[in-house]
Every structure is written in structure tokens, then in C-alpha cells.
Amino acid sequence: MLIKSYQKAMIIFIILGFVVLPLIIPVQADDFPRLKAGGVVYNAADLGIILTFNQIDPSGSPLVSCFVAVVDESGNPVTNLGSSNFTVTEDNQPVSFTIQPYGGDRLDASIALVLDNSGSIDDSEMQEINDAAIGLIDLLQPNDRGAVFKFSNSVQLSQTFTSNKELLRYSVNSPRTMRGATALYDGIYDAISLTKLEYSRRAVVALTDGQENASTHSDINQVIDYAVESQIPVFTIGLGNNVNVTNLTNIAESTGGLYFASASTENLLAIFESIGGTIANQYEIQYTSPNQTKDCSLRTTKIIVNSEGDSDQKSRTYNAPCEGEVKVELPGDVACFPGQSIILQIIVDDVTGAGIYSYQFNLAYNSSALQATGARSTGTLTESWGSPVTNFPSSGDRKSTRLNS
């Protein structure tokens, strides 16, 4: 949920039923390709087509939704495939499925740009980075949303998710105020934290030299694991003469994104166009799980694509639903004015007979713009439990509130 306000505001949360933690879906790290863009060499091992399994969504269980992209050896999206070109299995059992290009009138994509503003990027390179970022923003469709992060020795959220391209362009071109060390991992981590709240195809695009010397999340595996758990592919673009290719390749290939080795800033726009095309030209594959037991088990979905004699395959895992789980409905965007108090309602399914005796939810928000003041359960099935127990840490952007039986 996003509250659009640039000044201090107050926020109150009303709990209308049981609220449960979001399902964390572990994703299996497969062999992701590095594509060719603007003359850049990639490791596609001479494959004619390349399949990327970007996301798996079992929230509609037993209906499972999978989002995949197929590109040719030059990184161009392959958009003319049908059901005869794909094979889908769950735990090695073939399943029937439907397939369609993902887009149309639905919310297409949410893309967070993470731009390196550290001292190793000079002003001329910075301007070309900004020009290329605006090129990607221009590729967004009317219902797409973008966000802009900038990092040096700290991370700055220049613009939260919005479909307003003018706001995005303004945030990219805002005067440069950072020239320090390089907190790359923190920049990606913060972008994932915001992007995971979006309900659409989601991606993070990091443009950097790949150096790291200032992050609080200093372990690259911590960032990778967070992206994998959050189902957020991270696209990385190396820029400059001292690129840490190992870091950027590892992040991209382990999260379902693509690594682009940009030899110069001149081909950034072509790279961004390739990323935008890959995200915008995904296929949505839906199938009904043959195993509808609510046993919390880990299940593996494999997708194989065949076209004109070429083939590729990728696998992802997801957790089956558990007994006692309930669905949660969150509100959409809410506009507010500085100093205004607002109430966000969180609605859940009827939990009668579900055997649930406590619940907890976590909310991520920008504490420099918002202040959480409490939670209420008035008029709900849990009102008799008493007032919710809240825990609002004095520092950091991640806040939580909890209610126990």
C-alpha cells in the first residue's frame, strides 16, 4: 500500500479480521542467460531461444499463474508462441494449461530503477545514465508504474511507485546531491522492499559499476536471497572501466534477471529498451495444480519451450497453501495532505472455524513521510481479544504491528 505525501502525515490502521503474514515463495535459482544488447557479448551457449521464468504466483490456489519471457539469441522478445510451443509439469506430472501474452488492460509492470550516484560516476556518465533511465520510463505503458532510487554511501528514494511519467522524469533529472561511497546492495535491497508491495509484474533495474563498499547489507547472498524470496528479478547493467562483473552477473543470474555488460554509456538506451521489451512481452501461463492438498509442501513447476528446433527450460518452486490460511485484501493507493490522519482498512476472509488464534502483519513505509499511530480491531471477530499489540521501532523504515490472542 502506498500513501502519496511528501510531508509528515499520520496513519491509523483498522483491522477487520485476521491478518496473516504474506506467503513467502522460495524460488529455485536456475541458469539465467546474459543477453546481447548494443554489441555486448552474452553467455547464451549458442541457444536459439532463451526462456526466463520470472515469477510464479500460487495466491489463487489451486490455480497457479506463471510469468515467463522468451527471447532470441540477440535478446529480442519472441512474441508469436502458443500453447503448442510449451510443456508444463508440476512435480514431474504434466498439466493442462492456458497461455496468453500478459498485458492488455491489466496493470502491466512495476519497475524500480536503481541508479548509481557514487563518486566513481562522473557528471557526463551520470547525464547519460539519466537519459537512458528516461528512455525506459518512456517505454512504460499507461498502467505501468515506476520508482526511482539513487545511491551513493546511502540510499535515496527519489520517487515512489507512480504511473505519472512526469514525476518519474523529474526525479531522475533532479540535481545531483550524492558523490560518496557505493552502497549498491542497500540500493537493491531497498528497491526490492518497495517493489514487493506491488501487485503486477515486478522488476528492479540496477545501473552501476558493481562496486560495493558502504552497504549495511554487506553480504551479496543476503540481497540475492531477499530478491528470490520476494519473487523480484533484478536486471543489472555494468557501466565504466572498472565493472565488478562477478557481482552483477551473480545478482542477475540468481534472481531471474539479466546481466548486461555495457561497454560504454552510449548503448544504455538500447539496453534499457531490451529490458523494457523483455518485461513487457511476457507470457502468462495458468494451470490448476493436480495436487490440491493443503499441506504446505514445496512443489516444483517446470516449463519447457520449443520453437523451430530450439528448446530451453526453467523450473521454479512454490509452497502449497496450508490449512487455516485466509486471504487478505489490501487497499489501493490513498492520497492525503500534510498533517492529515487517515485510516487504512485491511479486509480478510471469514476465519470462523479456521483454528486461528493469533495473527501478525508487517508494514513497510517511509518513516520520514508517515507516522503510524496505532491499530484497532473494532467491529471484528477479534474485538474480544482486546487492543492490538503494536511495535513501532524508533528507527528504520520497516515497521510492524502485531495482535495476539
Side-chain angles (χ1 to χ4, degrees):
M1 66 189 74
L2 300 173
I3 312 297
K4 298 177 180 177
S5 175
Y6 300 99
Q7 310 252 345
K8 184 74 70 176
M10 307 291 287
I11 183 168
I12 300 174
F13 301 99
I14 285 189
I15 303 175
L16 300 183
F18 286 93
V19 182
V20 297
L21 288 173
L23 178 65
I24 295 178
I25 308 168
V27 181
Q28 180 175 310
D30 274 330
D31 231 357
F32 296 101
R34 281 172 287 153
L35 295 183
K36 181 178 181 182
V40 180
V41 178
Y42 67 105
N43 67 338
D46 297 325
L47 288 174
I49 57 173
I50 303 167
L51 172 72
T52 302
F53 197 156
N54 297 107
Q55 187 177 344
I56 185 168
D57 178 13
S59 61
S61 181
L63 185 67
V64 180
S65 298
C66 306
F67 301 93
V68 301
V70 182
V71 298
D72 62 23
E73 58 188 8
S74 297
N76 300 311
V78 180
T79 60
N80 59 347
L81 302 179
S83 58
S84 61
N85 297 106
F86 291 88
T87 302
V88 181
T89 65
E90 180 176 291
D91 290 341
N92 296 318
Q93 181 177 346
V95 297
S96 299
F97 61 91
T98 62
I99 182 171
Q100 61 178 334
Y102 186 69
D105 295 332
R106 292 169 291 173
L107 185 63
D108 280 349
S110 295
I111 304 174
L113 299 179
V114 182
L115 308 181
D116 193 339
N117 276 228
S118 64
S120 59
I121 304 297
D122 64 34
D123 287 341
S124 61
E125 291 175 327
M126 191 73 260
Q127 185 57 54
E128 292 186 70
I129 289 173
N130 292 347
D131 290 344
I134 289 176
L136 177 60
I137 291 169
D138 289 340
L139 293 174
L140 298 178
Q141 298 301 305
N143 286 334
D144 291 342
R145 289 158 61 86
V148 178
F149 288 82
K150 297 179 180 181
F151 69 89
S152 180
N153 55 312
S154 62
V155 182
Q156 177 186 85
L157 174 58
S158 297
Q159 174 61 54
T160 191
F161 275 106
T162 179
S163 57
N164 188 322
K165 293 185 179 182
E166 288 303 317
L167 289 177
L168 292 169
R169 295 186 188 101
Y170 177 82
S171 66
V172 169
N173 282 326
S174 60
R176 184 177 185 181
T177 60
M178 310 167 76
R179 294 180 184 272
T182 309
L184 169 62
Y185 299 163
D186 282 352
I188 295 175
Y189 196 98
D190 287 0
I192 294 169
S193 294
L194 186 63
T195 306
K196 69 187 291 187
L197 302 177
E198 294 290 296
Y199 292 90
S200 61
R201 290 175 298 170
R202 303 164 297 179
V204 169
V205 179
L207 200 154
T208 173
D209 59 13
Q211 304 302 318
E212 167 55 53
N213 53 33
S215 290
T216 57
H217 303 95
S218 57
D219 185 353
I220 189 173
N221 292 318
Q222 183 182 8
V223 178
I224 290 173
D225 290 345
Y226 188 42
V228 168
E229 291 174 355
S230 303
Q231 293 271 341
I232 307 295
V234 180
F235 295 81
T236 58
I237 300 173
L239 177 70
N241 297 319
N242 190 30
V243 176
N244 190 326
V245 176
T246 301
N247 277 0
L248 298 183
T249 302
N250 190 12
I251 291 171
E253 293 186 349
S254 299
T255 63
L258 305 171
Y259 167 67
F260 295 84
S262 177
S264 68
T265 55
E266 296 176 356
N267 57 9
L268 285 178
L269 185 57
I271 292 174
F272 271 132
E273 287 176 345
S274 181
I275 291 173
T278 299
I279 295 174
N281 290 283
Q282 290 181 329
Y283 294 94
E284 180 181 18
I285 295 175
Q286 290 188 329
Y287 71 91
T288 299
S289 173
N291 183 1
Q292 300 186 22
T293 305
K294 296 182 178 181
D295 57 3
C296 304
S297 63
L298 188 66
R299 300 173 183 176
T300 301
T301 300
K302 178 188 289 185
I303 297 180
I304 304 171
V305 61
N306 292 278
S307 178
E308 299 181 355
D310 295 314
S311 177
D312 195 15
Q313 64 182 36
K314 293 293 185 298
S315 298
R316 289 287 171 270
T317 58
Y318 76 92
N319 282 107
C322 305
E323 288 289 351
E325 287 185 345
V326 293
K327 293 183 179 180
V328 180
E329 179 182 343
L330 300 177
D333 289 359
V334 178
C336 62
F337 300 100
Q340 177 185 4
S341 295
I342 60 173
I343 296 174
L344 299 183
Q345 295 182 338
I346 301 175
I347 305 173
V348 303
D349 286 346
D350 188 351
V351 297
T352 303
I356 297 176
Y357 301 98
S358 68
Y359 57 83
Q360 174 179 315
F361 71 89
N362 294 295
L363 172 71
Y365 62 92
N366 186 348
S367 60
S368 66
L370 301 172
Q371 179 180 346
T373 61
R376 299 202 302 264
S377 57
T378 305
T380 74
L381 293 173
T382 61
E383 183 176 4
S384 62
W385 294 6
S387 299
V389 177
T390 59
N391 174 26
F392 299 129
S394 58
S395 62
D397 285 344
R398 184 165 292 278
K399 314 296 183 183
S400 66
T401 183
R402 179 168 58 89
L403 177 61
N404 289 334
S405 58

